Amino acid sequence: MRAILAVLILYCVGVAYASEQGHPLNLMPLPSSVQPGTGQLVIDTSFSVGVSGPGDSRLGRTLELFLGDLRRQTGMLPLDMKVTDPAQASLAIHIDHPTKDVQEPGEDESYSLEVSPAGGKLDAATALGAMRGLQTFLQLVQATSEGFAVPAVTIHDQPRFPWRGLMIDVGRHFIPVDVLKRNLDGMAALKLNVFHWHLSENQGFRVESRHFPKLHEMGSDGLYYTQDQVRDLIAHAHDRGIRVVPEFDMPGHSTAWFVGYPELASAPGPYQIERKWGVFDPAMDPTEERTYKFLDKFIGEMATLFPDKYFHIGGDEVNGKQWDANPKIQAFMRAHGLKNNQDLQAYFNQRVQKLVSKHAKTMLGWDEILRPDLPNDIVVQSWRGQSSLAQASKQGYRGLLSFGYYLDLMWSASRHYAVDPMSDAAADLSPDEKQRILGGEACMWTEYVSPENIDSRIWPRMAAIAERLWSAQNVTDVNSMYERMEATSKWLERYGLTHNSNYNVMLRRIAGSDNIMPLRTLADVLEPMKDYAREETASVEPTSLTPLNRLVDAVRPESTRARQFADAVNSLLMPGNVEPDQRKILRSHLSIWQGNQTSFPSLDNQPLLLREAGPLSQSLSQVAWVGLQALDYLDRDERAPDAWKTEQLAILQHAGEQKAQLLLMIVPSVQKLVEAAAGATSK
Amino acid sequence: MRAILAVLILYCVGVAYASEQGHPLNLMPLPSSVQPGTGQLVIDTSFSVGVSGPGDSRLGRTLELFLGDLRRQTGMLPLDMKVTDPAQASLAIHIDHPTKDVQEPGEDESYSLEVSPAGGKLDAATALGAMRGLQTFLQLVQATSEGFAVPAVTIHDQPRFPWRGLMIDVGRHFIPVDVLKRNLDGMAALKLNVFHWHLSENQGFRVESRHFPKLHEMGSDGLYYTQDQVRDLIAHAHDRGIRVVPEFDMPGHSTAWFVGYPELASAPGPYQIERKWGVFDPAMDPTEERTYKFLDKFIGEMATLFPDKYFHIGGDEVNGKQWDANPKIQAFMRAHGLKNNQDLQAYFNQRVQKLVSKHAKTMLGWDEILRPDLPNDIVVQSWRGQSSLAQASKQGYRGLLSFGYYLDLMWSASRHYAVDPMSDAAADLSPDEKQRILGGEACMWTEYVSPENIDSRIWPRMAAIAERLWSAQNVTDVNSMYERMEATSKWLERYGLTHNSNYNVMLRRIAGSDNIMPLRTLADVLEPMKDYAREETASVEPTSLTPLNRLVDAVRPESTRARQFADAVNSLLMPGNVEPDQRKILRSHLSIWQGNQTSFPSLDNQPLLLREAGPLSQSLSQVAWVGLQALDYLDRDERAPDAWKTEQLAILQHAGEQKAQLLLMIVPSVQKLVEAAAGATSK
C-alpha cells in the first residue's frame, strides 16, 4: 500500500515537474515513500557535504565518490565542491552506528532524505544506508533555470531484501578487472549489494593461488586475477557497499582444476582446459582424503583472500559418469552405504561444509546441495525456481532466487521484472519461512559474452531486477519501469559502461564501414533468440575460442524500438482509440523499415559478418510492407479479404523464424495489424 | 616526389578498393610509398605474429599490444591469435638492431611492410620501426567477404622528423593518469613519439617531490601524480615508443612552487595557488644561491624519476615586475653588469643549464631562453614561429615548432595542416641548419580544458599535425587529409578516447534531457571562438574553478557539418557545375536548420546552461532562411535585388557575431549564396 502510494506520489511529482521543469523524477529502484515539497535546493560550485555520527572508516571514500559523481553530473571541477563540517554543509549526513568491518547481509541500509531549498538532510542507520541515500540524491539532480538543483522532497526508503546480487561467470570467458569495476559502479547506482564472482569453471580457473599455483598457471590460459587484483576489486566493491562472494564450483564444473592437479579427479588424467560448452564428466573424487586435504588448504587460502562471510561451493550439474566408471569409488559408496551419486555428492558437501566452517565461513551452493544432512546456516541459491526455494525455507535453510534472473537467456526486462522471490510456491510460506528468503541474484553466464558485449547483456535490464529486489512487492507498473529504465541506461554511461557505445562499435565492424545507418535500423528491431535456442540452432558447435563478433552478439537483448512499436500498435487497436496521429507515426516507422533494404549493401562480396544481416533485412522489408498494407485497409475502414490475410500470415510466419539466431521483433505487432485489418472493420 | 607518387598510388588503391571492397585505405599519417599488390592476407583466429633479430626487451609487450588491438578490431578473443615462431607466423617481423634503453630522438623508426596472400613481412631497423609498421598494418585491416583481411601491399615508410610531440598542460587543470594513458594510445596510433608533460604552472604543481614535499602538498590542491604513477605512465609510453619529456616551468609560471617555498620567489610571500589565467608577477629569485641549491636537488630528483635525456625548463613569459621591485635584485644586476631583465633571465638560464647538464640531461626551453651564451646542445621550442626557429638554427641550436600547433586556439585541422616547420623563414636555411629543426609539438593548454573535454580538443585534429610531422612535406591534399582524419576519429574510439562520446554526454547535461536532437543539430554547426577571443569576450572573469560545462565547452573545435556544407556551396557555385542534386541537398540541410528552432525548447524556465543556445538557435534559423531564399533566386535563375542583398548581409553580419563565445559556422557559406544570388545570374 505504501508503495502504491509512492507510485501515485511519484506520478504526481512527475507531472508537476513535467510542467515546471520538463522532466519527471527518474528514481530507480523506486523508494518506499516519496513526498514532494516546495522549491528546490540549488547545486552549484559552493555545494558541500558533511557527515556526523560515529566514525566509519569507509565514509571518507563514500563522500569523495559522491562528490565525483555529482561533479560529473553537473560538469563541475574537482575543486568546485567540498567535504565540510556537517553544520555548514549543503547536504548534512547523519549516521546512527558504524557498519561492521566485513559487510554482512541484513545490515541496516535504510535512510531518510529530506531536501528543502535551505539544504539537505540525509539520516541513515549506517554508512550503507548513507550510500544508498546518496545514490537517490544523485538521481534527483536536475538541470534547472538556475543551473542544477534537487527538488524539495522527503524520502523514506529501505530495501525489501537484504541480498541483492549480480553473479558474473568469469570462467567461461575471462572478464578483466576494469570491466568488473565499471559494472560494480553500475551495481552501486542501482543499490545492489552483492557481487557473486563465479571464479572457476571447466573452461578456466581464474584466481592466483599461492598454495596451488598450477591452478591458475595451467588452468587459465594466463587469464586470471592476481591476488593483488582481487584485493583491489574487493576494496572497490567495499567502497560502494557491495560484498564480494567468491564461488569455486565443486565437485563438478572443475576440469580446469585438473589440468594442474589431475589427482583431484575421479578418473586419471591428463586433463585439458575445456573449450566446449555444456555439462562434462570430470568431477572431484569425493572418496579420497587427499581431495579434502587439498580443499582444506585451498579454502583456507581463499578464505583469507576473500573477507566475506559467505563462501560459494557451486555444487551444480554433476553428471556422475566418472563416479560410475570408477570401481574404487563404487566400492567406497557400498562401504559407506551411499546409495547413489546424489548421496555421494551429499557426503562430499558435508565434508566440504566442515572445511568451509573450519575457515569461519558460511557455505553457499546451488539447489543441488540441498540435503537435510547439512547444517541450517548454509544458503541455497536456486536456479530451479520458487518451489525449490520454498522447500529449502521449509527445511530451515536460507535461500536466494536466481531462477528468472538469468541475463544470458535474453529475456525482456518486463519478464524478469515479473519474477518475484516471494511468488508461486514461496507465497504460501509462513512469515518465519519467508524471512529465510534473503533475496536474489541475477546471473550473467558467459558462453556468448565477452568483455566487449557483457555490459549490454547486463544493462539496462539488470535495473529491473534491482528494483524487484529493493522496492516493495507491489511496485509492478511495467510502463513506469521501462521509462525509468531507459533514463537509467543513459545515466549508467557515466561509469564508462559500454552497453550503448559498444553497440555502434560492433555494428561498424560488422558493416566494415563507419556508415552503419541501414544496419542499425535493422539491428534496432532484432533480438537474439531466447533461452538456450542459440545453442540448439548453431550450425557449427561454438567453443570458448569462437569470436563473439556476429550480429547476434551485437544486438541488444531487448529491442526498445520493437517494444515501443508494439505499444503503439496495441494502443491503435484499442477500442475507442481516437488518437489521430498514431497511424501516421506507425506508417512512418513501417516506411523506413520497408525502404531500409534499398540502402542496405547487397554486394556479392559484402563483408562476411554482414552477410547474416541480408535475409533479416529482406524480412524486415517484407514485414513492413505487410504492415503498410494492413494500415491501408484500416485507413480505408475496409475489411481485408481472407485470402490476403492468409497470404500475409504465411509471410509473417516465415519472417518470424530465426535467421542467424536472431528474431525480428516487429512481427507479432504486424500480425496484430493484419488480423485487425481482416477482422471486423475498424472504427 | 616520392610522396606525390605515394599519394597517386594511394588514390589508385582507394579506387581499386572502392570497387572491390567498398572502402579506401585510410592510412594516416600517409606512408612514404604504398604499392598495392594482388589478393589479400586473411586475418582469422589462426593469425599469428613472430619476431626475429636481436632481443629487445620491449618487443614482447609490443606484440601483445598489437594482438590486443587486432582482436579488438576484429572482435576476436584473447586466445584466438598468438605470438609464435617467426618462421611459422602469419606476420613475421624482423628487427635489425636493438633500441637504446632510454629512447632517443633520431633512433631509426623506418620500416618496410610487405603483405601477400601467403603472409606478411615487416622489416624494421628497430623495435620502434616495428611499432610504427604494426600501426600501419592495423590500419590496413578491412572487413571482407572472407571475414577480415589485409590487402596485398608493399609499403616503405619513415618519418620526416625525429621529434613528433604532443604537450599537455596538466598545471592549469589537472588531467588524471587514465586520461593521459588513452591519449598516449591515440598518439601511438598516429606514430607520434614525444609526450611533453607540462607539470608545473601558477595554478598547480603536479608531481610528488620527496625532497620538497611542500611542492605537491601545498601547490596542487591534492591533485598531483605520485612518483609511482609517473613511472607507470612512463612505462605505458615506453611500451608504445613514446618518450616522456617533463617540463618544470621556471623562473616564471611558478606561483604554485612558492606556496610551499616562498623563499624561492623574488618578493616575500605568502603565496597562494593562482586561480586566474594570464601572466603573473611571481618569479624565482635568480640572485640567491639558495634558489640554485634548491633547483640542483629538485632537478636531481626529477632527473632520476624521468629517464628521458631531455629536461624542459619552460622559461617563457617572465614579466619581470618582481625583479624590478626588489632592490636587492637590482643591486645584483648592477654588480654583475646585467642591463635588463632579459640579461637576468639569461644569467638564470645559464645557471640552470649547468644544473640540468650536471644531472646528465639536455635542456629544452621556450623561445625566450634563446641567447648565444647557452651551449649548443640545448633545444628551443618555438611558440613564436618559424623565423624564431630559423634564427635558433642559424645560431647552431636545435629547435622544435609549436607555433601553429596550439590546439587550444580552436583552429581547423586544415589550418594546422598548412603549418610546416620548414616553411617561411625556415625554408631558406642551409641543409645543415635544416637538420637542426627536429620537428614539432602540438600544445594542449588547458585554461578551458577538463578531463571531460580534453580528448575532443586534441582529437581528431591532432592527426593532421601528426601527418605533417611524419609524412613528406608535399603531402598537402586537404580533402584526402579530412577523409582520412574522419576515419581516424572513429578508429581512435577503440582506445576509450571520448572525443565523440562525451559530446553527447555534455549536450545531454546542457539540455537537461536525454532528447538532444535539436540542440545537437545546432551544436553541430557551431565552433568556439578562435585564438584568445574567449578570454577577451568573457563577461565574468573565468578562473580555474569555473565549471567547463557550457555549450562552448561541449561543441567541437571544428564543425564537420559546416565544412561539408561549405564544400557543397563552393562546388555549387563553381562555374560549369552541373550536379543536379546539389541544390536539393543544400536545400534539405537549410530546411532542417531553419525548422530546428521550432523543436528547440523555448520555455522561460529552461535549464540555465541551455539558455545560451537560444540566440544561436534563432540565428541558425534566420541564416538558413536567408540561404533558402538565395537558393530560390538561384533556382529561378533570377538576379536578387540589391535591397534584398543588403538586408540579408545585415542579417548575416549579426548572425556571424559571437554569441555565448560561439560562432555559427555556416554564415560565410550562406553569404556566398547571397552574393551569388545577387550577382550575375547563375547558370
Side-chain angles (χ1 to χ4, degrees):
Chain A
M1 190 58 210
R2 213 167 157 196
I4 288 186
L5 254 179
V7 174
L8 284 174
I9 290 168
L10 186 86
Y11 185 73
C12 296
V13 174
V15 169
Y17 274 87
S19 62
E20 200 190 326
Q21 306 290 354
H23 36 209
L25 299 181
N26 280 317
L27 296 173
M28 191 163 201
L30 206 58
S32 305
S33 120
V34 178
Q35 210 153 356
T38 307
Q40 55 186 26
L41 172 64
V42 172
I43 310 284
D44 59 19
T45 55
S46 71
F47 182 88
S48 60
V49 60
V51 65
S52 62
D56 192 316
S57 61
R58 67 166 106 186
L59 264 172
R61 188 81 188 109
T62 299
L63 298 189
E64 273 315 320
L65 286 172
F66 165 70
L67 286 183
D69 282 347
L70 191 58
R71 288 182 197 118
R72 218 172 318 171
Q73 199 169 346
T74 55
M76 292 184 192
L77 298 167
L79 306 176
D80 283 341
M81 297 169 163
K82 288 220 158 47
V83 176
T84 182
D85 176 359
Q88 264 86 56
S90 322
L91 175 62
I93 304 175
H94 181 79
I95 303 288
D96 253 14
H97 54 269
T99 48
K100 304 202 169 146
D101 285 344
V102 174
Q103 187 176 330
E104 286 182 20
E107 285 196 82
D108 195 336
E109 297 174 275
S110 69
Y111 68 91
S112 296
L113 177 65
E114 221 185 299
V115 178
S116 78
K121 243 168 59 80
L122 173 59
D123 286 307
T126 66
L128 292 172
M131 287 180 198
R132 311 306 174 221
L134 288 171
Q135 291 295 344
T136 300
F137 187 90
L138 289 169
Q139 292 186 355
L140 288 165
V141 175
Q142 301 178 339
T144 71
S145 57
E146 283 158 79
F148 295 91
V150 168
V153 72
T154 301
I155 291 176
H156 298 286
D157 198 11
Q158 73 282 320
R160 180 173 165 218
F161 292 107
W163 193 303
R164 307 176 305 280
L166 168 63
M167 186 221 76
I168 296 182
D169 165 17
V170 299
R172 288 178 175 80
H173 280 114
F174 181 69
I175 306 294
V177 168
D178 59 327
V179 179
L180 295 179
K181 280 187 177 174
R182 68 185 185 227
N183 277 286
L184 285 165
D185 295 352
M187 288 175 68
L190 272 300
K191 300 184 170 66
L192 291 161
N193 66 0
V194 180
F195 170 51
H196 168 173
W197 207 352
H198 184 83
L199 283 160
S200 68
E201 256 307 333
N202 298 311
Q203 293 82 6
F205 186 97
R206 305 299 184 193
V207 178
E208 176 193 12
S209 168
R210 305 234 165 119
H211 285 324
F212 302 106
K214 285 190 281 181
L215 283 173
H216 64 276
E217 283 168 7
M218 299 178 69
S220 77
D221 299 296
L223 300 169
Y224 64 90
Y225 310 101
T226 64
Q227 296 205 353
D228 277 346
Q229 287 179 314
V230 169
R231 276 185 285 267
D232 179 47
L233 190 107
I234 291 171
H236 189 95
H238 181 78
D239 286 342
R240 287 153 182 82
I242 297 173
R243 298 166 43 219
V244 177
V245 175
E247 175 184 352
F248 295 96
D249 210 340
M250 56 184 86
H253 284 281
S254 49
T255 307
W257 306 53
F258 305 152
V259 183
Y261 299 94
E263 64 274 21
L264 292 174
S266 303
Y271 289 88
Q272 299 217 309
I273 294 175
E274 189 56 66
R275 302 298 180 199
K276 296 184 178 178
W277 309 133
V279 173
F280 297 94
D281 300 348
M284 291 177 186
D285 187 341
T287 69
E288 286 281 1
E289 281 310 305
R290 66 172 172 236
T291 302
Y292 301 106
K293 263 197 200 130
F294 182 102
L295 289 176
D296 185 12
K297 214 166 157 190
F298 174 76
I299 293 171
E301 182 183 10
M302 294 302 139
T304 310
L305 181 60
F306 292 90
D308 199 80
K309 178 95 182 124
Y310 292 77
F311 192 93
H312 203 303
I313 63 140
D316 54 322
E317 298 184 321
V318 180
N319 71 14
K321 287 192 189 164
Q322 278 199 345
W323 295 345
D324 294 340
N326 183 328
K328 228 175 37 75
I329 291 177
Q330 293 302 313
F332 181 94
M333 287 169 70
R334 280 190 300 276
H336 290 73
L338 302 169
K339 285 193 296 290
N340 51 33
N341 287 333
Q342 284 68 44
D343 282 1
L344 181 59
Q345 190 176 349
Y347 166 82
F348 174 82
N349 289 340
Q350 285 179 50
R351 295 288 306 265
V352 171
Q353 191 277 328
K354 288 200 183 78
L355 299 177
V356 170
S357 176
K358 170 184 161 190
H359 294 292
K361 302 285 177 178
T362 301
M363 190 170 95
L364 211 81
W366 300 99
D367 299 79
E368 287 94 326
I369 69 159
L370 183 63
R371 294 270 292 216
D373 34 27
L374 283 174
N376 261 343
D377 74 332
I378 67 151
V379 179
V380 175
Q381 180 167 16
S382 176
W383 59 271
R384 288 182 175 160
Q386 287 91 339
S387 62
S388 158
L389 201 60
Q391 192 189 335
S393 174
K394 281 183 185 153
Q395 294 175 30
Y397 296 105
R398 291 172 301 164
L400 296 171
L401 187 67
S402 281
F403 166 86
Y405 301 143
Y406 271 30
L407 295 164
D408 52 310
L409 302 189
M410 303 288 170
W411 292 10
S412 66
S414 57
R415 191 169 167 194
H416 288 305
Y417 197 58
V419 176
D420 195 292
M422 294 296 188
S423 67
D424 298 323
D428 302 328
L429 295 174
S430 74
D432 266 9
E433 288 163 352
K434 282 187 172 172
Q435 201 66 24
R436 286 198 280 272
I437 296 183
L438 299 178
E441 281 187 5
C443 292
M444 181 77 275
W445 301 106
T446 55
E447 279 91 342
Y448 303 105
V449 173
S450 72
E452 185 172 57
N453 72 356
I454 187 169
D455 297 359
S456 73
R457 272 55 195 137
I458 297 175
W459 308 103
R461 294 178 303 152
M462 182 73 221
I465 301 172
E467 176 155 292
R468 176 59 48 242
L469 297 173
W470 175 281
S471 304
Q473 183 162 13
N474 49 11
V475 173
T476 52
D477 180 334
V478 170
N479 289 332
S480 161
M481 180 275 286
Y482 271 119
E483 203 168 299
R484 291 175 292 114
M485 190 185 84
E486 294 296 338
T488 301
S489 176
K490 290 276 194 331
W491 169 275
L492 289 170
E493 287 180 28
R494 75 181 56 197
Y495 299 111
L497 284 163
T498 60
H499 53 297
N500 291 327
S501 60
N502 272 0
Y503 181 47
N504 288 334
V505 169
M506 295 181 79
L507 293 183
R508 273 189 228 145
R509 179 194 297 137
I510 292 165
S513 159
D514 289 346
N515 174 20
I516 55 168
M517 276 309 287
L519 178 60
R520 180 154 176 172
T521 299
L522 170 64
D524 274 352
V525 290
L526 297 177
E527 289 181 12
M529 297 177 77
K530 308 298 155 185
D531 301 316
Y532 296 103
R534 179 164 178 181
E535 223 118 305
E536 291 151 12
T537 55
S539 54
V540 179
E541 188 178 2
T543 73
S544 61
L545 306 177
T546 308
L548 297 171
N549 55 9
R550 291 170 55 206
L551 190 54
V552 67
D553 300 306
V555 304
R556 289 156 162 169
E558 181 172 14
S559 160
T560 300
R561 190 132 307 168
R563 177 172 58 75
Q564 288 168 342
F565 183 74
D567 286 349
V569 167
N570 288 340
S571 130
L572 177 78
L573 299 178
M574 211 144 63
N577 173 11
V578 286
E579 189 91 53
D581 286 342
Q582 207 128 31
R583 285 185 198 175
K584 260 193 232 163
I585 293 170
L586 285 179
R587 190 178 287 281
S588 97
H589 278 297
L590 289 166
S591 303
I592 289 168
W593 290 328
Q594 201 250 323
N596 192 55
Q597 169 74 356
T598 54
S599 42
F600 213 80
S602 60
L603 299 169
D604 284 341
N605 56 357
Q606 71 184 168
L608 181 69
L609 291 174
L610 188 57
R611 220 175 290 158
E612 290 195 328
L616 289 155
S617 174
Q618 220 157 2
S619 284
L620 177 64
S621 179
Q622 286 170 341
V623 169
W625 177 233
V626 171
L628 286 168
Q629 292 173 65
L631 275 186
D632 282 347
Y633 280 112
L634 292 169
D635 274 356
R636 291 196 304 265
D637 222 356
E638 175 191 336
R639 193 175 179 283
D642 286 344
W644 176 86
K645 177 181 167 185
T646 309
E647 200 181 322
Q648 310 313 311
L649 290 182
I651 293 172
L652 293 179
Q653 187 179 351
H654 175 73
E657 287 161 9
Q658 67 96 3
K659 290 170 194 67
Q661 306 181 304
L662 285 160
L663 300 171
L664 185 56
M665 299 307 290
I666 60 162
V667 171
S669 301
V670 171
Q671 185 166 339
K672 282 187 192 169
L673 289 176
V674 168
E675 275 157 3
T681 58
S682 77
K683 77 229 128 60
Chain B
M1 191 57 212
R2 213 165 154 199
I4 287 186
L5 254 179
V7 173
L8 284 174
I9 290 168
L10 187 83
Y11 187 71
C12 297
V13 174
V15 169
Y17 274 84
S19 61
E20 199 191 326
Q21 305 290 354
H23 37 208
L25 299 181
N26 281 317
L27 296 173
M28 191 163 201
L30 206 57
S32 305
S33 122
V34 178
Q35 210 154 356
T38 307
Q40 56 185 28
L41 172 64
V42 172
I43 311 282
D44 58 20
T45 54
S46 71
F47 181 87
S48 60
V49 59
V51 65
S52 62
D56 192 315
S57 62
R58 67 166 104 188
L59 265 172
R61 188 82 187 109
T62 299
L63 298 189
E64 272 315 319
L65 286 172
F66 165 70
L67 286 184
D69 282 348
L70 191 58
R71 288 182 197 118
R72 218 173 317 172
Q73 200 170 344
T74 54
M76 293 184 192
L77 299 167
L79 306 177
D80 283 343
M81 296 168 165
K82 288 219 159 44
V83 176
T84 182
D85 176 1
Q88 263 85 58
S90 324
L91 176 62
I93 304 175
H94 181 79
I95 304 289
D96 253 14
H97 55 269
T99 48
K100 305 202 169 146
D101 285 344
V102 175
Q103 188 176 329
E104 286 184 18
E107 284 196 83
D108 195 336
E109 296 174 276
S110 69
Y111 68 91
S112 297
L113 177 64
E114 221 186 300
V115 178
S116 77
K121 242 167 61 79
L122 174 59
D123 286 307
T126 65
L128 292 172
M131 287 179 198
R132 310 307 173 221
L134 288 172
Q135 292 294 343
T136 300
F137 187 89
L138 289 169
Q139 291 186 356
L140 288 166
V141 176
Q142 301 179 338
T144 70
S145 56
E146 282 158 82
F148 295 92
V150 167
V153 72
T154 300
I155 292 177
H156 298 286
D157 199 12
Q158 74 283 320
R160 179 172 165 220
F161 292 108
W163 192 304
R164 307 176 306 280
L166 168 63
M167 187 220 75
I168 296 182
D169 164 18
V170 300
R172 288 177 174 82
H173 280 115
F174 181 70
I175 307 294
V177 168
D178 60 327
V179 180
L180 296 179
K181 280 188 177 174
R182 67 185 186 226
N183 277 284
L184 285 166
D185 295 351
M187 289 175 68
L190 272 302
K191 302 184 170 64
L192 291 161
N193 66 0
V194 181
F195 171 51
H196 168 172
W197 207 353
H198 184 83
L199 283 160
S200 69
E201 258 306 333
N202 298 310
Q203 293 81 7
F205 185 96
R206 304 299 183 194
V207 178
E208 176 192 12
S209 167
R210 305 231 166 121
H211 284 325
F212 302 107
K214 285 190 283 182
L215 284 173
H216 65 275
E217 282 168 7
M218 300 178 68
S220 78
D221 299 296
L223 300 170
Y224 64 90
Y225 310 101
T226 65
Q227 296 205 354
D228 278 346
Q229 286 179 314
V230 169
R231 275 185 286 268
D232 179 46
L233 191 106
I234 291 171
H236 189 94
H238 180 78
D239 286 341
R240 286 154 183 81
I242 298 173
R243 298 166 43 219
V244 177
V245 175
E247 175 183 353
F248 295 95
D249 211 341
M250 57 184 86
H253 283 280
S254 49
T255 308
W257 305 52
F258 306 152
V259 182
Y261 300 94
E263 63 273 20
L264 292 175
S266 302
Y271 290 88
Q272 300 217 310
I273 293 175
E274 189 56 66
R275 301 299 181 199
K276 296 185 178 176
W277 309 133
V279 174
F280 298 95
D281 302 347
M284 291 178 186
D285 187 341
T287 70
E288 286 281 0
E289 282 310 305
R290 65 169 172 238
T291 303
Y292 302 106
K293 263 198 199 126
F294 183 101
L295 289 176
D296 185 12
K297 212 166 159 190
F298 174 76
I299 293 171
E301 181 182 10
M302 293 302 138
T304 310
L305 181 60
F306 292 91
D308 199 81
K309 177 94 183 127
Y310 292 78
F311 193 93
H312 203 303
I313 64 140
D316 54 323
E317 299 183 323
V318 181
N319 71 14
K321 286 190 188 166
Q322 278 198 346
W323 295 344
D324 295 341
N326 184 329
K328 227 174 38 73
I329 289 176
Q330 293 302 313
F332 180 94
M333 287 169 71
R334 280 190 301 274
H336 289 73
L338 302 169
K339 288 193 293 291
N340 52 33
N341 288 333
Q342 284 68 42
D343 283 0
L344 181 58
Q345 189 174 351
Y347 166 81
F348 174 82
N349 290 341
Q350 285 179 50
R351 295 287 306 264
V352 171
Q353 190 278 327
K354 288 202 184 77
L355 299 177
V356 170
S357 175
K358 170 183 160 191
H359 295 291
K361 302 283 179 180
T362 300
M363 189 169 96
L364 210 81
W366 299 99
D367 299 79
E368 289 94 327
I369 69 159
L370 183 63
R371 291 271 292 217
D373 34 26
L374 283 175
N376 261 345
D377 75 331
I378 66 152
V379 179
V380 176
Q381 180 168 16
S382 176
W383 60 271
R384 288 183 176 158
Q386 287 90 338
S387 60
S388 159
L389 201 60
Q391 193 189 333
S393 173
K394 280 184 186 151
Q395 293 174 32
Y397 296 105
R398 290 172 301 164
L400 295 172
L401 187 67
S402 280
F403 166 85
Y405 302 142
Y406 271 30
L407 295 165
D408 53 311
L409 301 189
M410 303 287 169
W411 292 10
S412 66
S414 57
R415 193 169 166 194
H416 288 304
Y417 197 59
V419 176
D420 194 291
M422 293 297 188
S423 67
D424 297 326
D428 303 326
L429 295 174
S430 73
D432 267 10
E433 289 163 351
K434 281 189 173 170
Q435 201 66 24
R436 286 198 280 273
I437 296 185
L438 299 178
E441 280 186 6
C443 292
M444 179 78 275
W445 301 106
T446 54
E447 280 91 342
Y448 303 106
V449 173
S450 71
E452 184 172 57
N453 72 357
I454 187 169
D455 297 357
S456 74
R457 273 56 195 138
I458 297 175
W459 307 104
R461 294 178 304 150
M462 182 74 220
I465 301 173
E467 177 156 290
R468 176 58 50 242
L469 297 173
W470 176 280
S471 304
Q473 183 162 12
N474 48 11
V475 173
T476 53
D477 179 337
V478 169
N479 289 333
S480 161
M481 180 275 284
Y482 271 119
E483 203 168 299
R484 290 175 294 114
M485 191 184 84
E486 294 296 337
T488 301
S489 176
K490 291 276 194 332
W491 169 275
L492 289 169
E493 287 180 28
R494 75 180 57 197
Y495 299 112
L497 283 163
T498 61
H499 54 296
N500 290 327
S501 59
N502 271 0
Y503 181 47
N504 287 335
V505 169
M506 295 180 81
L507 292 183
R508 272 188 228 147
R509 179 194 297 137
I510 292 164
S513 159
D514 290 345
N515 174 21
I516 55 168
M517 275 308 288
L519 178 58
R520 181 155 174 171
T521 299
L522 170 65
D524 275 352
V525 291
L526 297 176
E527 289 181 13
M529 296 177 77
K530 308 296 153 185
D531 301 317
Y532 298 103
R534 179 164 177 180
E535 224 117 303
E536 291 150 12
T537 55
S539 54
V540 180
E541 188 179 1
T543 73
S544 61
L545 307 177
T546 308
L548 297 172
N549 55 10
R550 291 170 55 207
L551 191 52
V552 67
D553 300 305
V555 304
R556 289 156 163 170
E558 181 173 14
S559 159
T560 300
R561 190 134 307 170
R563 178 172 57 75
Q564 288 167 342
F565 183 73
D567 286 348
V569 167
N570 288 339
S571 129
L572 177 78
L573 298 179
M574 211 143 64
N577 173 11
V578 286
E579 188 91 52
D581 287 343
Q582 207 129 31
R583 284 185 198 174
K584 260 193 231 163
I585 292 170
L586 286 178
R587 190 177 287 279
S588 98
H589 278 297
L590 289 164
S591 303
I592 289 168
W593 291 328
Q594 202 251 324
N596 192 55
Q597 170 75 356
T598 53
S599 42
F600 213 79
S602 61
L603 300 167
D604 285 341
N605 57 358
Q606 70 185 168
L608 181 68
L609 290 175
L610 188 58
R611 219 176 291 158
E612 289 194 329
L616 289 156
S617 173
Q618 219 156 3
S619 284
L620 177 64
S621 177
Q622 285 170 342
V623 170
W625 176 233
V626 171
L628 285 168
Q629 291 173 65
L631 275 186
D632 282 346
Y633 280 113
L634 290 169
D635 275 356
R636 291 196 306 264
D637 222 355
E638 176 190 336
R639 191 176 180 285
D642 286 344
W644 175 85
K645 176 180 167 184
T646 310
E647 201 181 322
Q648 308 316 311
L649 290 181
I651 292 172
L652 292 179
Q653 186 178 352
H654 175 74
E657 287 160 9
Q658 68 95 2
K659 289 169 194 69
Q661 306 180 305
L662 285 161
L663 301 171
L664 186 56
M665 299 307 290
I666 59 163
V667 171
S669 301
V670 171
Q671 187 166 338
K672 282 188 192 168
L673 289 177
V674 168
E675 275 156 4
T681 57
S682 76
K683 75 230 127 61

